[in-house]
Amino acid sequence: MAIDWNRRTCARKGHVTYAPDDPRLRIRLHAQTALGEVWRCLRCGDFVLGEPHGAGPAAEAPLVPRGKVLRDLFVLRFLALERAVRGVFIVLAAVAVWKFSNSKDAVRRLFDEYLDVFRPVFRHFHYDLDHSPVVGTIQKTFGYQHSTLLLVAALLLAYALIEIIEAVGLWYAKRWAEYLTVVATAAFLPLEIYELTEHVSALKIATLVLNILAVLYIAVAKRLFGLRGGRRAFDEERRSASLLEVEESAGALV
Ligand SMILES: [Zn+2]
């Protein structure tokens, strides 16, 4: 079943209409009806009653993501949320380790409290904290020394920071974030596979599969590392997907 990303987005955010100065383009996007003037939405193509949301030269029209470009944005935002949740959880874990690294017993108590507090929340999202590799790793560190605990906290914090930077960048569809996600995620894949050889769990497999798919999807869809024509082809695809661009090329033939 195909999802109409254009209509879905318009239903949520409202239509985007624009009155280009060029009369040949204007006539293609505009019509008079018994109810008043209507303008064609740059995203879904429906005619919308009322004044246009903007006006000016066609080149200055908002670049409205449509179709495949829009779908890619949805996928990126899903990955961004997933990484943000993971990042926040790892920050909490890092704080727990660091704050009470002086006393292993206190760490254990605090960590268990954290777990008790967050267990129902994570369970609600079908995330089993008791079988989380991160939690398991931290529980192992209870047997370690003060300096080791500090190092673990620092490493966790660094990892969480990468996840959160990825999340913010992916949310805003920044190209650097796509590169960062692909490189950082790919770099951690061997560790995840090694983890699986130690102990197999559904969550670990799901995480590994999600991360492999994320790396492939972003690299191919966003044409990173010069794949499928690279940056130039990506910008071209984005522009050619905009409705005004389509209308403009059609208008040029008239
Ligand atoms: Zn629309």
Side-chain angles (χ1 to χ4, degrees), residues 223 227-238 240:
R223 302 169 190 262
L227 282 176
R228 295 167 64 226
R231 178 74 194 240
R232 190 192 297 254
F234 172 73
D235 288 341
E236 191 59 37
E237 178 184 64
R238 209 180 127 83
S240 66

Side-chain angles (χ1 to χ4, degrees), residues 7-252:
R7 288 223 156 68
R8 249 177 106 117
T9 307
C10 280
R12 202 160 47 86
K13 289 183 170 179
H15 298 291
V16 184
T17 56
Y18 187 80
D21 289 342
D22 187 341
R24 286 176 311 155
L25 278 174
R26 211 179 164 89
I27 205 161
R28 291 173 164 273
L29 298 176
H30 179 236
Q32 276 295 342
T33 71
L35 294 172
E37 62 168 356
V38 287
W39 289 90
R40 229 181 144 196
C41 173
L42 294 183
R43 184 158 41 223
C44 67
D46 284 351
F47 280 97
V48 187
L49 203 61
E51 294 277 303
H53 299 134
E60 283 170 27
L63 195 59
V64 184
R66 306 178 65 228
K68 189 186 159 300
V69 177
L70 196 56
R71 186 202 62 197
D72 288 346
L73 277 178
F74 271 88
V75 175
L76 286 191
R77 292 207 157 174
F78 165 75
L79 288 175
L81 283 177
E82 184 262 335
R83 275 161 162 73
V85 168
R86 196 153 21 136
V88 167
F89 169 58
I90 297 168
V91 167
L92 290 177
V95 169
V97 173
W98 169 74
K99 224 175 165 183
F100 287 85
S101 56
N102 297 317
S103 160
K104 273 177 266 173
D105 292 341
V107 173
R108 192 186 295 271
R109 265 204 306 280
L110 180 87
F111 191 70
D112 289 343
E113 275 170 28
Y114 264 76
L115 279 187
D116 288 340
V117 170
F118 286 102
R119 192 176 280 117
V121 180
F122 279 86
R123 188 176 292 148
H124 180 77
F125 293 105
H126 304 289
Y127 193 96
D128 186 1
L129 278 185
D130 293 315
H131 294 97
S132 155
V134 179
V135 174
T137 307
I138 294 163
Q139 276 164 344
K140 262 185 236 165
T141 65
F142 287 137
Y144 297 159
Q145 290 181 344
H146 175 73
S147 57
T148 316
L149 285 173
L150 279 183
L151 183 68
V152 168
L155 288 176
L156 280 175
L157 209 58
Y159 182 57
L161 203 64
I162 294 173
E163 295 293 288
I164 289 167
I165 291 170
E166 281 177 17
V168 173
L170 286 179
W171 184 266
Y172 292 105
K174 297 288 180 205
R175 204 159 171 80
W176 57 258
E178 292 159 8
Y179 272 105
L180 178 66
T181 304
V182 167
V183 172
T185 308
F188 280 108
L189 286 181
L191 198 69
E192 287 179 31
I193 293 166
Y194 170 72
E195 275 273 299
L196 269 176
T197 64
E198 297 276 294
H199 172 71
V200 177
S201 80
L203 182 76
K204 279 188 195 174
I205 293 172
T207 307
L208 179 68
V209 169
L210 181 74
N211 281 336
I212 290 173
L213 287 179
V215 166
L216 291 177
Y217 184 86
I218 296 173
V220 172
K222 294 314 190 101
R223 302 169 190 262
L224 303 183
F225 307 104
L227 282 176
R228 295 167 64 226
R231 178 74 194 240
R232 190 192 297 254
F234 172 73
D235 288 341
E236 191 59 37
E237 178 184 64
R238 209 180 127 83
R239 260 201 309 278
S240 66
S242 102
L243 183 65
L244 204 57
E245 195 75 15
V246 174
E247 291 293 334
E248 198 163 7
S249 49

